[in-house]
Amino acid sequence: MRKEGYSMIFDGHSDIFSDVRYKREAGETQVLKNHHLDRLRKGGIGGACFVIWADTYNGHAPKDEMEAIVKGIKGEMAETKEFVLIHNVEELKAAEAAGKFAILLGIEGLAGIGEDLSKIDELYDLGARHAMLTWNEENALATGVKGDPNRGVTELGKQAIKKLQEKKMILDVSHINEKSFWDVIDLATGPILASHSNAKALASAARNLTDDQLRAIRDTNGLVGLNAFGDFISDNKAEQDVDHLVNHATYIADKIGVEHLGFGFDFFEFLDSDSMKSYSDQDDSRLKGMKDCSEVPVLIEKLRKAGFTEKDLEMISGGNWTNLIQRVLG
């Protein structure tokens, strides 16, 4: 589905490391290779931001959840030959040239560090080059979309933002509420990412972005990743399909330019139903026509038919992510 010479397809958001954690706790090894690699390759995906998501639906403390996933990551990355953590754009390009899957390690919410900002250094040393202040919750640093709409980034959170930017980590706003968003924009010294959010003009999901937010991200020379989760596509479940995701791509590209658009699919076929219920009331939020990463070429073809040029598709598929990584990580 992709023209020769395209950069890799890069998926800007995946919770696959949660699956790695649980399968390794059950005694498995080589989880990425045995359960995910074939599907990723079928979809043409050569790199992704795999995040540490300290989901607490099971009643566990965020710190414990984060530590459990970190343990799983360390074990998995010590074994795998097919996947590699990347820390800058040269390592991204080297992974592609070597035929290895490039992982940008991210943190989906920093609740797990509590009030100890030195934990950011530990995550950086692990390989993390991306972070969100919150998931959907309120924490010591900022306020997620399910928190108090009048509460934004805290004083400690402002220190965290400064630290993240000084360490040249990508700062992601996809889960914070609108007040926190504008607090981040006020403090931004470089590109801001919304890794898995769509246009609020087309679907009212709390994490989708208003036109003003889209323009603010553009003005930082940042990036917005298209989210394939059904709730973010349309308020009408019957319209939660690939064609309506294409509408979001067209809308965002028209508003802020194709150079600020990428992928951040948030596929979740490997998550259990209890985990799913922690952030969706729908029985099934899989996208009709693109249920998982193996079917991403379907979206590429529909974007082409919608009028996106080959150059546009190269940028959206991976080029814009490569550029963002170069601008922030070097």
Side-chain angles (χ1 to χ4, degrees):
M1 286 286 194
R2 293 187 296 152
K3 294 279 189 181
E4 184 177 353
Y6 268 24
S7 59
M8 68 171 73
I9 295 178
F10 192 95
D11 180 1
H13 185 79
S14 175
D15 299 307
I16 278 178
F17 274 144
S18 292
D19 189 55
V20 167
R21 171 260 180 105
Y22 287 118
K23 283 184 168 59
R24 291 188 70 89
E25 287 179 347
E28 293 194 43
T29 59
Q30 296 277 3
V31 177
L32 291 173
K33 178 182 178 181
N34 294 336
H35 292 277
H36 299 286
L37 184 58
D38 287 349
R39 193 170 63 255
L40 290 162
R41 284 178 171 167
K42 184 176 179 181
I45 298 174
C49 183
F50 289 176
V51 297
I52 297 172
W53 173 40
D55 186 11
T56 56
Y57 75 91
N58 55 17
H60 295 171
K63 177 178 179 291
D64 296 338
E65 290 294 289
M66 180 174 282
E67 290 175 353
I69 298 173
V70 166
K71 180 180 178 181
I73 291 170
K74 288 179 177 178
E76 190 75 9
M77 297 312 299
E79 295 171 355
T80 184
K81 294 179 174 61
E82 295 82 11
F83 294 76
V84 61
L85 291 180
I86 62 102
H87 309 87
N88 54 54
V89 74
E90 290 306 317
E91 291 181 5
L92 174 67
K93 292 177 179 178
E96 183 177 15
K100 294 182 181 291
F101 191 97
I103 299 173
L104 174 67
L105 179 58
I107 314 298
E108 189 171 19
L110 286 167
I113 73 169
E115 298 182 0
D116 185 359
L117 298 189
S118 71
K119 295 293 184 183
I120 293 174
D121 298 313
E122 294 179 16
L123 292 166
Y124 183 90
D125 292 343
L126 177 69
R129 295 295 184 269
H130 158 285
M132 308 177 205
L133 297 175
T134 76
W135 186 58
N136 289 336
E137 82 291 340
E138 291 183 13
N139 63 32
L141 306 179
T143 312
V145 293
K146 290 188 176 180
D148 180 355
N150 297 310
R151 183 183 187 269
V153 174
T154 67
E155 289 303 314
L156 186 64
K158 292 175 183 178
Q159 295 176 42
I161 291 169
K162 181 180 180 182
K163 188 177 188 73
L164 292 168
Q165 292 185 132
E166 286 176 346
K167 297 185 81 67
K168 297 184 178 180
M169 295 175 69
I170 297 171
L171 185 55
D172 190 340
V173 296
S174 255
H175 272 279
I176 55 177
N177 69 358
E178 190 161 355
K179 189 173 191 311
S180 293
F181 174 94
W182 292 112
D183 288 344
V184 169
I185 293 296
D186 287 344
L187 295 164
T189 59
I192 294 299
L193 168 69
S195 60
H196 54 306
S197 297
N198 294 336
K200 189 160 283 187
L202 303 184
S204 66
R207 293 202 303 96
N208 281 349
L209 301 164
T210 67
D211 289 357
D212 285 344
Q213 289 176 303
L214 290 170
R215 285 187 285 263
I217 292 170
R218 174 201 63 194
D219 292 346
T220 70
N221 205 13
L223 187 67
V224 176
L226 286 175
N227 190 333
F229 196 89
D231 303 52
F232 294 80
I233 311 302
S234 174
D235 297 339
N236 181 350
K237 195 170 188 308
E239 296 178 347
Q240 294 175 4
D241 55 31
V242 183
D243 291 321
H244 285 83
L245 180 58
V246 170
N247 292 346
H248 282 271
T250 300
Y251 185 91
I252 294 170
D254 287 346
K255 284 292 178 185
I256 63 174
V258 71
E259 66 271 25
H260 300 290
L261 180 62
F263 294 146
F265 293 122
D266 201 11
F267 291 122
F268 56 90
E269 68 277 4
F270 44 82
L271 296 177
D272 63 36
S273 59
D274 287 339
S275 181
M276 287 295 305
K277 289 300 182 183
S278 71
Y279 56 95
S280 176
D281 294 329
Q282 293 188 171
D283 292 332
D284 187 354
S285 291
R286 287 174 296 181
L287 190 66
K288 298 181 185 70
M290 193 174 73
K291 68 180 183 300
D292 61 36
C293 63
S294 70
E295 298 181 350
V296 168
V298 174
L299 173 62
I300 301 290
E301 185 58 33
K302 284 184 177 288
L303 289 169
R304 182 178 288 118
K305 289 180 179 178
F308 286 91
T309 67
E310 296 306 313
K311 179 61 177 176
D312 293 339
L313 294 174
E314 180 178 359
M315 294 166 69
I316 297 168
S317 295
N320 290 338
W321 264 102
T322 300
N323 291 339
L324 178 71
I325 289 169
Q326 184 167 32
R327 288 196 296 272
V328 181
L329 308 186

